[in-house]
Coordinates of all heavy atoms in Angstrom, one line a residue:
E1348 N 86.7 -4.9 -2.4 CA 85.7 -4.1 -3.1 C 84.7 -3.6 -2.0 O 84.3 -2.4 -2.0 CB 84.9 -4.8 -4.3 CG 84.1 -4.0 -4.9 CD 84.7 -2.9 -5.8 OE1 85.9 -3.0 -6.1 OE2 84.1 -1.9 -6.1
A1349 N 84.2 -4.4 -1.1 CA 83.4 -4.0 0.0 C 84.0 -2.9 0.7 O 83.4 -1.9 1.3 CB 82.8 -5.1 0.7
R1350 N 85.2 -3.1 1.2 CA 85.9 -2.1 1.9 C 86.0 -0.8 1.2 O 85.8 0.3 1.8 CB 87.4 -2.7 2.3 CG 87.4 -3.8 3.3 CD 88.8 -4.1 3.9 NE 88.9 -5.2 4.6 CZ 89.1 -6.5 4.1 NH1 89.5 -6.6 2.8 NH2 89.2 -7.6 4.9
R1351 N 86.3 -0.9 -0.1 CA 86.5 0.4 -0.9 C 85.1 1.1 -0.9 O 85.1 2.3 -0.8 CB 86.9 0.0 -2.3 CG 87.2 1.2 -3.2 CD 87.5 0.8 -4.5 NE 86.4 0.0 -5.2 CZ 85.4 0.6 -5.7 NH1 85.3 2.0 -5.6 NH2 84.3 0.1 -6.3
I1352 N 84.0 0.3 -1.1 CA 82.7 1.0 -1.2 C 82.3 1.6 0.1 O 81.9 2.7 0.2 CB 81.7 -0.1 -1.7 CG1 81.8 -0.5 -3.1 CG2 80.2 0.5 -1.5 CD1 81.1 -1.6 -3.6
L1353 N 82.7 0.8 1.1 CA 82.5 1.4 2.5 C 83.1 2.7 2.8 O 82.6 3.6 3.4 CB 82.7 0.2 3.5 CG 82.4 0.6 5.0 CD1 80.9 0.9 5.2 CD2 82.9 -0.7 6.0
D1354 N 84.4 2.6 2.4 CA 85.2 3.8 2.6 C 84.7 5.0 1.9 O 84.5 6.1 2.3 CB 86.8 3.6 2.2 CG 87.4 2.5 3.1 OD1 86.9 2.4 4.3 OD2 88.4 1.9 2.6
A1355 N 84.3 4.7 0.6 CA 83.6 5.7 -0.2 C 82.4 6.2 0.4 O 82.0 7.4 0.4 CB 83.4 5.2 -1.6
A1356 N 81.5 5.2 0.9 CA 80.2 5.6 1.5 C 80.5 6.5 2.8 O 79.9 7.5 3.1 CB 79.5 4.4 2.0
R1357 N 81.5 6.1 3.5 CA 81.9 6.9 4.6 C 82.3 8.3 4.3 O 81.9 9.3 5.0 CB 83.0 6.3 5.6 CG 82.5 5.0 6.3 CD 83.6 4.2 6.9 NE 83.2 3.1 7.7 CZ 84.0 2.2 8.2 NH1 85.4 2.3 8.1 NH2 83.4 1.1 8.9
A1358 N 83.1 8.4 3.3 CA 83.6 9.7 2.8 C 82.4 10.5 2.3 O 82.2 11.7 2.7 CB 84.5 9.5 1.7
E1359 N 81.5 10.0 1.5 CA 80.2 10.7 1.1 C 79.4 11.1 2.2 O 78.8 12.1 2.3 CB 79.5 9.7 0.2 CG 78.2 10.4 -0.4 CD 78.5 11.4 -1.4 OE1 79.7 11.4 -1.9 OE2 77.7 12.3 -1.6
A1360 N 79.3 10.2 3.3 CA 78.5 10.5 4.4 C 79.0 11.8 5.2 O 78.5 12.7 5.7 CB 78.3 9.3 5.4
D1361 N 80.5 11.7 5.4 CA 81.1 12.8 5.9 C 80.9 14.2 5.3 O 80.6 15.2 5.9 CB 82.6 12.6 6.0 CG 82.9 11.4 6.9 OD1 82.0 11.2 7.9 OD2 83.9 10.7 6.9
S1362 N 80.9 14.1 3.8 CA 80.7 15.2 3.1 C 79.2 15.7 3.2 O 78.9 16.9 3.3 CB 81.1 15.0 1.6 OG 80.1 14.1 1.0
L1363 N 78.3 14.7 3.2 CA 77.0 15.2 3.3 C 76.7 15.8 4.7 O 75.9 16.7 4.9 CB 76.0 13.9 3.1 CG 75.9 13.4 1.7 CD1 75.2 12.0 1.7 CD2 75.2 14.4 0.8
L1364 N 77.2 15.2 5.8 CA 77.2 15.7 7.0 C 77.7 17.2 7.2 O 77.1 18.0 7.8 CB 77.8 14.8 8.1 CG 77.7 15.1 9.6 CD1 76.1 15.1 9.9 CD2 78.4 14.2 10.4
E1365 N 78.9 17.3 6.5 CA 79.4 18.6 6.5 C 78.5 19.7 5.8 O 78.3 20.8 6.2 CB 80.8 18.6 5.9 CG 81.6 19.9 6.1 CD 83.1 19.8 5.4 OE1 83.3 18.7 5.0 OE2 83.7 20.8 5.5
R1366 N 78.0 19.2 4.7 CA 77.1 20.2 4.0 C 75.8 20.5 4.8 O 75.3 21.5 4.7 CB 76.6 19.5 2.6 CG 77.9 19.6 1.6 CD 77.4 19.4 0.2 NE 76.7 18.1 0.0 CZ 77.3 16.9 -0.4 NH1 78.5 17.0 -0.6 NH2 76.6 15.9 -0.5
A1367 N 75.4 19.3 5.5 CA 74.1 19.5 6.3 C 74.4 20.6 7.4 O 73.5 21.3 7.7 CB 73.7 18.3 6.9
H1368 N 75.5 20.5 8.0 CA 76.0 21.4 9.1 C 76.0 22.9 8.5 O 75.5 23.8 9.1 CB 77.3 21.0 9.6 CG 77.2 19.9 10.7 ND1 76.5 19.9 11.8 CD2 77.8 18.8 10.6 CE1 76.6 18.8 12.5 NE2 77.5 18.0 11.8
R1369 N 76.6 23.0 7.3 CA 76.6 24.4 6.8 C 75.3 24.9 6.4 O 75.0 26.1 6.7 CB 77.7 24.3 5.5 CG 79.1 24.1 5.7 CD 79.8 24.4 4.6 NE 79.5 23.6 3.4 CZ 80.1 22.5 3.2 NH1 81.1 22.1 3.9 NH2 79.8 21.7 2.1
Q1370 N 74.4 24.0 5.8 CA 73.1 24.4 5.6 C 72.2 24.7 6.8 O 71.5 25.7 6.8 CB 72.3 23.3 4.8 CG 70.9 23.6 4.4 CD 70.9 24.7 3.3 OE1 71.9 24.8 2.5 NE2 69.8 25.5 3.2
A1371 N 72.5 24.0 7.9 CA 71.7 24.3 9.1 C 72.2 25.6 9.7 O 71.3 26.4 10.1 CB 72.1 23.1 10.1
E1372 N 73.5 25.9 9.5 CA 73.9 27.2 10.0 C 73.3 28.3 9.2 O 73.0 29.4 9.7 CB 75.5 27.3 10.0 CG 76.1 26.3 11.0 CD 77.7 26.3 10.8 OE1 78.2 27.0 9.9 OE2 78.3 25.6 11.6
T1373 N 73.3 28.0 7.9 CA 72.7 29.1 7.1 C 71.2 29.3 7.4 O 70.8 30.5 7.5 CB 72.8 28.7 5.6 OG1 74.2 28.4 5.3 CG2 72.3 29.9 4.6

Side-chain angles (χ1 to χ4, degrees):
E1348 182 66 20
R1350 290 192 189 95
R1351 184 183 64 77
I1352 293 171
L1353 183 59
D1354 294 338
R1357 287 174 180 170
E1359 183 69 22
D1361 293 338
S1362 62
L1363 290 173
L1364 185 59
E1365 185 177 357
R1366 285 198 298 274
H1368 282 303
R1369 288 197 297 272
Q1370 184 66 30
E1372 291 176 357
T1373 304

